[in-house]
Amino acid sequence: MSTAMYDVAIIGGGPAGSTAAALLARAGRRVVVFEREKFPRFHIGESLLPFSMKAFTRLGLHEKFLHAGFLKKFGGEIFGACSDQGTKFYFKDGYRSKTDHAYQVTRGDFDKVLLDHAAECGAEVCEQISVDRVQFSQDNVELAVKSNGSSQSIRAHYLIDASGRASVLGRHFKIKKTYDHLQKLSIFAHYDGVWRAEGIDGTLTVLIRAIDRWFWLIPLSAERTSIGVVLDSETFRRSKLSAEDFLEQALAEQPIIAKRTTNASRVSQVYVEADFSYRSARLYGDRWLLTGDAAGFIDPIFSSGVFLAVFSGEQCADALNEVLDRPRAAKRLFARYERSVNRAMDVYLRFVDAWYTKEFIEVFLAPRNVLGLAPAVNAVLGGNVGNSFPIRWRMWVFYFLVWLQRHHPIAPKRTLVPKKEGASASKAEISVTA
């Protein structure tokens, strides 16, 4: 590690930090990345979205992904817990789709591929080094970094905070704001031997919506599957169960999952992640930018985490690369970056708020080929968060239908309660519509 001035220092080597580092280094900038852990390390967020594929192409990562054995993902399937019939969506059918697939990944391997790629592009990558203090001046930023008990001072023209939920600058400036209505908790583990459909349907992310929780099944490899449940933190606390017992019980209560896991075995510990949803009130200052989870995170549903990390990392790198040549444009370019990232998070926030209503799943599970709504919803599920008016007005209509469903049902009402074994479909429908 040099004591000379860097163009950009980056805190955090996850997808956002690695993306920004690789792009800036390839543009000829002097970049250093400080990552407090040693990769690979376990992380959640295993399902990628097709709108990240363009960034991966720009970075030159597809061949490395294939070499790593990441599973191609062609869409998803959403169920209500009260029925064994789901609604599939394929990325190829999204509005003006430009790719038919994304990837399912083990995050430890995926993040290491990205961080190693940043180093190959010319970024200086320093693992197992923490940033203890940040001090800004008119001309640069100074970082106090620590490794093996020894400290060192590093200077850079600009700083990117990609430190994830810990958000070094979020704490420093006290700008991290949580969404109180989205304080969820997830409990999850990896399993081998989970049943899957044949062909591309075996690659789909499966989401199951129940009354007060939802479940995911994400195929990671030919044998391994990630399975988890997301619910209000307070619901888990009231159960007074261990994470292992709670997950086992929750999965057993869902017939769709129970059938698929008949011959499955858990091959990892049970993990718990809490306090998902938050956003930073500001995403930039005179010599700093927030990106990835340091900027914000809007719930794990719809796999937006890695997508927003790569999206914001790319946007952040492009803004800084231009600012390094034209410092006087910093305020305008940084503000444009903030608007772009906030707009993307707004799209997902509205989608997430709708998802946690029963009416969303009732409308989604009764698709109608009207006004091209399905391709528009599919596009947003795939990560299209742009300003496309054809998608925006269709999403407005979709949200109106969700609102209408609450007051004047236009789709079958659903209990979202799993049917007991032996209950007939007709009796279940009567209980739903009564």
Side-chain angles (χ1 to χ4, degrees):
M1 193 188 320
S2 170
T3 57
M5 176 77 76
Y6 290 91
D7 291 316
V8 181
I10 301 175
I11 307 175
S18 294
T19 296
L23 292 173
L24 285 165
R26 283 171 53 171
R29 306 304 182 181
R30 191 153 187 263
V31 183
V32 62
V33 180
F34 298 110
E35 169 54 51
R36 66 181 178 181
E37 298 186 48
K38 176 67 177 176
F39 283 19
R41 49 86 172 100
F42 183 85
H43 205 283
I44 193 59
E46 300 148 325
S47 195
L48 309 187
L49 298 182
F51 264 74
S52 294
M53 298 294 274
K54 187 176 180 181
F56 296 149
T57 299
R58 179 183 177 188
L59 287 161
L61 285 166
H62 290 293
E63 186 175 338
K64 292 183 178 181
F65 289 170
L66 294 176
H67 185 263
F70 297 148
L71 192 68
K72 286 187 176 180
K73 161 192 174 183
F74 292 89
E77 185 171 14
I78 297 180
F79 291 84
C82 55
S83 171
D84 58 4
Q85 295 296 315
T87 296
K88 295 185 179 74
F89 60 93
Y90 299 100
F91 295 139
K92 66 179 178 62
D93 299 323
Y95 183 81
R96 294 181 180 174
S97 172
K98 295 182 180 179
T99 181
D100 67 347
H101 72 278
Y103 297 101
Q104 312 278 28
V105 301
T106 49
R107 275 294 299 279
D109 296 331
F110 173 78
D111 289 3
K112 181 167 174 55
V113 168
L114 263 62
L115 188 59
D116 288 349
H117 185 71
E120 291 173 20
C121 289
E124 188 176 340
V125 173
C126 305
E127 294 181 86
Q128 295 180 294
I129 294 184
S130 62
V131 176
D132 284 353
R133 189 181 71 256
V134 177
Q135 185 172 342
F136 295 92
S137 67
Q138 184 175 348
D139 299 321
N140 58 64
V141 54
E142 184 174 333
L143 292 78
V145 300
K146 181 183 291 185
S147 176
N148 296 324
S150 62
S151 297
Q152 186 177 352
S153 180
I154 299 297
R155 292 186 304 140
H157 291 296
Y158 294 95
L159 174 65
I160 295 175
D161 183 357
S163 59
R165 291 167 56 188
S167 188
V168 172
L169 294 185
R171 294 198 317 270
H172 180 80
F173 292 114
K174 297 180 174 57
I175 54 176
K176 185 177 177 181
K177 309 295 181 184
T178 59
Y179 290 106
D180 291 337
H181 69 296
L182 291 175
Q183 290 309 290
K184 306 292 182 179
L185 171 146
S186 75
I187 309 171
F188 56 95
H190 289 175
Y191 296 78
D192 283 350
V194 177
W195 177 88
R196 292 182 197 159
E198 296 293 328
I200 65 172
D201 282 1
T203 75
L204 306 183
T205 294
V206 174
L207 303 176
I208 302 167
R209 175 65 202 282
I211 279 287
D212 65 344
R213 64 196 65 182
W214 61 270
F215 300 81
W216 78 71
L217 293 90
I218 300 173
L220 300 177
S221 68
E223 183 63 21
R224 189 144 302 174
T225 302
S226 173
I227 304 180
V229 59
V230 177
L231 67 162
D232 286 341
S233 302
E234 185 58 30
T235 302
F236 172 64
R237 283 194 287 269
R238 285 200 308 266
S239 76
K240 298 183 179 179
L241 295 173
S242 68
E244 291 79 4
D245 289 343
F246 189 96
L247 181 61
E248 182 178 351
Q249 179 178 307
L251 299 185
E253 291 171 351
Q254 299 298 320
I256 298 169
I257 298 176
K259 291 175 184 176
R260 293 182 181 220
T261 56
T262 300
N263 300 312
S265 58
R266 179 162 62 85
V267 294
S268 78
Q269 70 182 76
V270 174
Y271 297 92
V272 179
E273 293 281 351
D275 297 330
F276 276 119
S277 301
Y278 58 88
R279 193 190 302 198
S280 292
R282 290 186 290 144
L283 303 187
Y284 75 93
D286 289 341
R287 292 199 169 269
W288 57 269
L289 291 163
L290 301 184
T291 191
D293 286 358
F297 184 80
I298 312 295
D299 205 84
I301 187 64
F302 308 130
S303 306
S304 63
V306 176
F307 164 73
L308 288 173
V310 173
F311 171 80
S312 60
E314 183 181 19
Q315 298 272 323
C316 179
D318 289 343
L320 267 179
N321 188 46
E322 194 169 346
V323 166
L324 284 163
D325 287 333
R326 298 190 297 126
R328 291 184 179 180
K331 187 174 182 178
R332 175 177 60 83
L333 293 171
F334 286 179
R336 186 174 68 185
Y337 164 77
E338 182 180 70
R339 287 193 301 271
S340 177
V341 175
N342 274 328
R343 182 172 62 242
M345 286 195 282
D346 285 342
V347 168
Y348 276 106
L349 181 60
R350 187 171 188 187
F351 216 18
V352 166
D353 282 342
W355 165 260
Y356 283 110
T357 68
K358 192 158 73 76
E359 291 76 23
F360 176 99
I361 201 71
E362 289 169 346
V363 172
F364 189 93
L365 293 178
R368 301 176 185 177
N369 189 20
V370 178
L371 300 176
L373 296 185
V377 174
N378 190 334
V380 175
L381 285 169
N384 190 330
V385 293
N387 274 330
S388 170
F389 182 71
I391 290 179
R392 280 192 295 149
W393 76 257
R394 286 175 171 87
M395 291 305 298
W396 292 335
V397 173
F398 175 75
Y399 291 128
F400 171 74
L401 295 178
V402 171
W403 174 85
L404 188 64
Q405 175 72 7
R406 184 177 306 136
H407 303 282
H408 305 284
I410 57 174
K413 302 293 284 185
R414 297 174 184 266
T415 65
L416 301 185
V417 176
K419 289 187 295 184
K420 294 181 179 179
E421 290 298 325
S424 69
S426 59
K427 288 182 180 178
E429 278 302 313
I430 289 172
S431 68
V432 171
T433 56

